[in-house]
Amino acid sequence: MTDNDAHAPDSLEQPWARAGRQPRIAIIGAGMSGIAAVVKLHKAGYTDLTVYEKSDRVGGTWRENTYPGLSCDVPSRWYSFSFALKADWPHRFAYGPDIQSYMESVASEFGVTERVRFNCAVTDLRYDAPCWDLTTSTGERQRYDVVIAATGILHQPVYPDIEGLDSFAGSAFHSAHWDHAVDLAGKRVGIIGTGSTACQIVGAITDQVSQMYVFQRTPHWLSPLPQKAYSSGWNNFLTRFPFLQRVIYEYYYQLMVRTFSAATIGNKFMQRWMSRICLKHLADNVPDPTLRARLTPDYEATCKRMIFCSDYYPALSRPHAHLITDSITRIEPAGVRTADGELHELDVLVLATGFNAAAFILPTRVTGENGMDLEQTWDGAPRAHRAVAVPGFPNFWMVEGPTGPVGNLSLIAISEHQVDYIISMLDRMKADGLAAIAPTQSAYERYNAAMREAIKTTTWATGGCKSWYIDKSGVPNLYPWFPMRYLKEMHDPDYSEYRLIK
Ligand code: N01
């Protein structure tokens, strides 16, 4: 039997849990959450897994982003799969290429890569009870019992809506599509944006360029990054004693959750402590009081996502670096014109202007029960039940879906807990011979109403800033409680919140 025969519609008439066969599971995306899904599902005994990946390699965001200075501000010994801890991370905070090669080696070692259909974007998903009809960009059509969207959160670059952007005569590109053919040496480089990405880029390239122009709309809170290279002696020691790797993983887990997460959900002591660290970092690295004032945020720390970067302020203090705070009026062939009338002449323009945080699986068209369209249902303000499911979309799950805990946490860890939850649902389907499972409308509404209420007191909502956390409805699209509560939700599913469809 060929793989295609195995997916022929006739064989799927009988729900898998009643027919006593494996569920056919499609996983969309071969980034870190797709990798986690395959490994954990396989371990749990679900082996009929096909991964669809729009690109030609695994790795997701770490494959896509290749800009200079790319690194992860979550400690590497925690930003790791719990089932594939790595003793020999070269740095406390891993650089992008090291994370990408880790993703590739885990995917290869755990048999993920061989399940991936590369260069195959899923364009359409249509629920035809109890299965999903899946169509790809290559014209392939398949039927699956279960679909898991592991498409990531920040994968659609946002280009700024600035007049004349297309008229720029030099090289212009988004940070997520870095043009490595452009030699920056001796060039006049401008960068729009001052988020995590921009800070890493500015820190990495300022010494190469002749002039560095940073166009800041809003100053961000910036903490130093306690980066360090691990010695081979220490890494060898950890290789010999793997239980220590586990201890360190748990240590960072607790540390990050109890400090940064606590600060965002209302722990004023933590928040003040973090503000002090940031202000000291600014004072220590920016001697010029005028520049310092222009870099000082007028909203509360952690309202926007905190930035961890030690080399941004020193780079900005270099004589050939210029912080531009006048707003941009237009882009011209020669450079960027600001509200004070000045033209900042440039050879290269980098757009570090972030991502569409409301996309998730979109633009894939997802049609659930009774013709429900996911994009219309969300209408620019995506919501989910416990971040993994949506009423009206049975047997459809998301990893890193809307309102999951993000912020400065390890998304690998969160993904793994969500996959555990999905496995519990599959186990329940198997045990009860269910055809489908979907959250009830009332459970979804209760959950989201409680979130809306709780989010009001978080710094994301009260801190006086605008951020990508806030969606079209004006509400931060984030988990408002302590992350440990979310982990409990994930490991203690309440099946009464679901329609268990026979
Ligand atoms: O994007 P951002 P990012 N005119 O949205 C500015 C993760 N990440 O790519 O602040 C002028 O944070 C915008 O200005 P303002 C992390 O979760 C992680 O930097 O809105 N400026 C802002 O300064 C992060 O949060 C790591 O006023 C415009 C910037 O562009 C997320 O990715 C590393 C503008 C966008 O900042 C996104 O970070 C890097 C306009 N029209 C990224 N439009 C790790 O280390 C936007 N801006 C794990």
Side-chain angles (χ1 to χ4, degrees):
M1 193 194 278
T2 68
D3 205 22
N4 277 353
D5 292 335
H7 290 247
D10 283 354
S11 65
L12 291 168
E13 286 308 309
Q14 175 85 321
W16 67 272
R18 279 212 291 280
R21 62 174 170 80
Q22 281 280 330
R24 287 163 189 136
I25 303 178
I27 295 156
I28 307 175
M32 52 96 173
S33 50
I35 295 171
V38 172
V39 175
K40 294 208 128 197
L41 283 161
H42 199 271
K43 230 180 189 151
Y46 297 101
T47 55
D48 192 340
L49 308 167
T50 306
V51 184
Y52 290 89
E53 168 55 51
K54 66 182 177 191
S55 173
D56 59 354
R57 282 160 75 205
V58 305
T61 194
W62 300 106
R63 178 209 65 238
E64 201 89 341
N65 286 277
T66 59
Y67 60 78
L70 172 67
S71 70
C72 183
D73 59 11
V74 176
S76 51
R77 299 212 190 275
W78 184 35
Y79 197 84
S80 300
F81 295 104
S82 65
F83 51 81
L85 297 185
K86 176 176 160 69
D88 59 348
W89 281 113
H91 296 93
R92 182 187 278 158
F93 297 92
Y95 288 99
D98 292 328
I99 302 176
Q100 175 59 16
S101 66
Y102 172 67
M103 293 288 157
E104 289 183 5
S105 74
V106 172
S108 164
E109 184 188 340
F110 287 83
V112 179
T113 315
E114 66 209 46
R115 295 169 187 280
V116 184
R117 308 245 168 113
F118 289 106
N119 300 309
C120 201
V122 175
T123 53
D124 194 272
L125 285 167
R126 192 165 291 270
Y127 186 63
D128 176 21
C131 298
W132 284 89
D133 290 325
L134 176 153
T135 308
T136 71
S137 53
T138 56
E140 189 183 334
R141 296 191 63 187
Q142 296 288 351
R143 213 164 146 77
Y144 286 95
D145 298 293
V146 176
V147 172
I148 299 176
T151 46
I153 305 171
L154 302 173
H155 58 98
Q156 284 179 17
V158 167
Y159 288 82
D161 185 15
I162 301 175
E163 185 194 327
L165 180 57
D166 290 339
S167 72
F168 183 60
S171 307
F173 44 85
H174 193 278
S175 58
H177 298 298
W178 193 268
D179 186 346
H180 291 278
V182 176
D183 181 8
L184 299 179
K187 299 272 169 56
R188 299 163 300 175
V189 178
I191 186 162
I192 301 180
T194 50
S196 303
T197 301
C199 291
Q200 292 181 346
I201 293 171
V202 172
I205 68 171
T206 299
D207 278 347
Q208 299 167 36
V209 305
S210 67
Q211 299 292 323
M212 183 80 232
Y213 293 88
V214 178
F215 296 92
Q216 170 187 283
R217 189 165 65 181
T218 317
H220 288 235
W221 285 95
L222 219 114
S223 161
L225 184 84
Q227 178 62 295
K228 79 173 214 175
Y230 287 127
S231 69
S232 54
W234 172 235
N235 283 352
N236 289 341
F237 183 71
L238 290 181
T239 307
R240 286 180 53 208
F241 299 102
F243 78 94
L244 280 178
Q245 295 173 43
R246 183 76 45 198
V247 170
I248 296 170
Y249 176 92
E250 291 300 334
Y251 162 76
Y252 278 123
Y253 209 139
Q254 295 300 328
L255 180 75
M256 301 297 276
V257 162
R258 286 172 202 287
T259 53
F260 304 119
S261 302
T264 50
I265 56 171
N267 184 324
K268 290 289 168 201
F269 171 79
M270 278 299 163
Q271 202 205 22
R272 275 196 295 273
W273 175 66
M274 290 181 61
S275 315
R276 273 207 291 274
I277 292 175
C278 294
L279 291 174
K280 181 172 184 318
H281 178 53
L282 179 61
D284 289 349
N285 288 281
V286 182
D288 173 1
T290 312
L291 179 58
R292 209 159 57 224
R294 291 160 71 215
L295 287 166
T296 306
D298 62 357
Y299 56 88
E300 290 180 32
T302 72
C303 181
K304 286 171 180 277
R305 187 189 186 279
M306 284 283 292
I307 299 175
F308 292 80
C309 187
S310 293
D311 39 15
Y312 178 66
Y313 288 150
L316 269 189
S317 300
R318 308 265 287 125
H320 68 294
H322 316 277
L323 180 74
I324 314 296
T325 50
D326 290 287
S327 57
I328 298 170
T329 48
R330 64 176 177 274
I331 294 173
E332 300 180 6
V336 173
R337 178 87 62 186
T338 44
D340 56 355
E342 196 162 333
L343 175 68
H344 306 277
E345 294 190 22
L346 302 172
D347 304 305
V348 180
L349 179 60
V350 179
L351 309 169
T353 42
F355 299 85
N356 174 6
F360 298 96
I361 188 177
L362 307 177
T364 299
R365 183 160 189 181
V366 186
T367 311
E369 289 175 308
N370 306 316
M372 263 177 94
D373 179 81
L374 188 64
E375 186 169 10
Q376 279 174 16
T377 304
W378 279 348
D379 189 25
R383 289 292 179 276
H385 186 61
R386 305 199 184 278
V388 292
V390 186
F393 296 82
N395 299 344
F396 172 76
W397 302 99
M398 290 174 287
V399 187
E400 298 304 346
T403 65
V406 286
N408 292 82
L409 295 179
S410 165
L411 290 190
I412 298 186
I414 303 298
S415 296
E416 286 193 41
H417 291 290
Q418 292 173 331
V419 173
D420 290 341
Y421 185 84
I422 296 166
I423 290 171
S424 306
M425 294 293 159
L426 296 177
D427 289 348
R428 179 66 188 247
M429 288 183 78
K430 192 156 114 186
D432 292 4
L434 301 178
I437 190 164
T440 64
Q441 187 67 30
S442 57
Y444 163 85
E445 281 170 11
R446 260 196 325 276
Y447 184 72
N448 279 283
M451 281 191 139
R452 260 196 312 281
E453 199 48 40
I455 203 94
K456 287 180 188 163
T457 57
T458 63
T459 315
W460 302 311
T462 62
C465 75
K466 284 194 188 141
S467 76
W468 61 260
Y469 294 153
I470 297 172
D471 65 21
K472 194 178 153 192
S473 68
V475 177
N477 192 340
L478 289 168
Y479 188 77
W481 299 293
F482 205 52
M484 289 307 180
R485 172 169 164 173
Y486 187 73
L487 305 193
K488 191 169 175 309
E489 284 177 36
M490 291 293 95
H491 288 278
D492 189 13
D494 179 354
Y495 297 101
S496 72
E497 296 177 338
Y498 284 85
R499 285 164 57 216
L500 306 177
I501 305 161
K502 277 282 182 186

